[in-house]
Amino acid sequence: MPIDIAVDAMGSDKAPESEIQGAILACRTLESDIRVRLVGPEGTLAPALKTALRGARLPIEIVHASEWISMEDKAAQAVRSKRDSSMRVGLKMVREGRAAAFLTAGNTGAAMATAKMVLGSLAGVDRPALATILPTMSGQPSLLLDVGANVDSDPENLVQFAVMGHMYAQNVLGISSPRIGLLSIGEEDTKGNSLTRDTFPLLKALPNLNFIGNVEGRDLFNNRVDVAVCDGFVGNVALKSIEGAAKLFSTLLRESLKSTVTSQVGALLSRRAFSDFKKRLDYSEYGGAPLLGVRGVCIVGHGSSNAKAIMNGIRVAAEFAHAEVNAGIEAALRPQA
């Protein structure tokens, strides 16, 4: 059965080119039966889509939205004032059942605020959390949340994040018994700040969660943990540091390989290995970060998303929708009689 994915066509830094090309790539290459709904000003999107399709017939349609939220807009103000934004229109399609999921590579703060307002939270969820996929040494990705939806969180919030991460890792990433870790400054039970120390016993008491205890930043990549939980302040700092380090490593490796005649020969011979290295660090391979805990599917991509990243974001959105993660989250957080 075809699945409809609404895409904010005006979100990325290179909108609408990246979104249009990504939609075309998704419809041509993904195995799932996907129909893409590009949301944005029809006058802008229609001629651009026609040119990009070059006469091809693909399941891509335009849904008109007269406004869009830019990266420069203040999130709270834009969400209130731009009532016909591509974000709001796309998320309303999800709420009304006209789309199974929504993808945006636009203003993250506005996307989260609009999703909370339009879709609302799942039963048992006080605060939705933004999760991100990270590469690991084993090739099996790990999940880190929250990475920015909540600057301040309490222990109950982190418990909910753990449950939501467990369900996503199990149903979308295909990990049968995800190892859940609490991100801290040491592995000992007593290490951390008041938030982590108060959260630890709550996670340990959950019977259906494979809680392995405290984990450190390095464990995000060494295959010790599948889901790492933290508050949004710590998670966002970690994520931005990871992105910066990945870019630095790629640049330094490229420069080192080209620094001498001998290494230039080596660079030619190792081009495939370098390409594989970049691929494992490339955000475009993972598509976007799911906003967990809202009553629907919302994927938030990187602002610099290219066509490949948009395609993978569409793939992730479809996988999330098919997996019925939200029903599992509500069931897990339902108070026991």
Side-chain angles (χ1 to χ4, degrees), residues 14 67 80 94 107 129 137 177 205 214 218 246 262 293 323 330 337:
K14 296 182 179 179
E67 301 173 297
R80 291 193 301 268
V94 175
N107 187 310
M137 295 178 184
S177 181
N214 286 337
R218 61 191 172 198
T262 303
E330 288 191 312

Side-chain angles (χ1 to χ4, degrees), residues 91-147:
L91 286 163
K92 282 180 66 178
M93 291 175 66
V94 175
R95 185 185 68 191
E96 296 166 0
R98 294 185 289 132
F102 174 70
L103 166 68
T104 181
N107 187 310
T108 301
M112 293 187 295
T114 306
K116 292 176 187 178
M117 178 181 64
V118 174
L119 300 177
S121 298
L122 294 171
V125 175
D126 296 319
R127 295 184 180 183
L130 195 63
T132 193
I133 301 293
L134 299 174
T136 70
M137 295 178 184
S138 70
Q140 170 68 56
S142 65
L143 190 71
L144 174 66
L145 74 161
D146 177 30
V147 294

Side-chain angles (χ1 to χ4, degrees), residues 13 33 52 82 107 109 114 127 158-159 162 165 192 230 271 334-335:
D13 296 341
D33 194 359
K82 296 186 176 181
N107 187 310
T114 306
R127 295 184 180 183
L158 265 60
V159 169
C230 61
R271 184 173 295 170
R334 187 176 298 126

Side-chain angles (χ1 to χ4, degrees), residues 123-186:
V125 175
D126 296 319
R127 295 184 180 183
L130 195 63
T132 193
I133 301 293
L134 299 174
T136 70
M137 295 178 184
S138 70
Q140 170 68 56
S142 65
L143 190 71
L144 174 66
L145 74 161
D146 177 30
V147 294
N150 308 279
V151 176
D152 296 304
S153 303
D154 62 28
E156 288 295 339
N157 296 146
L158 265 60
V159 169
Q160 293 171 12
F161 298 167
V163 171
M164 293 191 291
H166 166 88
M167 288 297 173
Y168 189 86
Q170 192 173 66
N171 293 288
V172 178
L173 301 182
I175 304 171
S176 59
S177 181
R179 295 160 297 173
I180 312 296
L182 181 61
L183 191 60
S184 187
I185 59 171

Side-chain angles (χ1 to χ4, degrees), residues 1 24 30 66 128 172 213 238 256 265 284 293 304 317 336:
M1 183 176 178
I24 291 172
L30 297 180
S66 62
V172 178
S256 296
V265 175
S284 69
S304 58
Q336 300 298 313

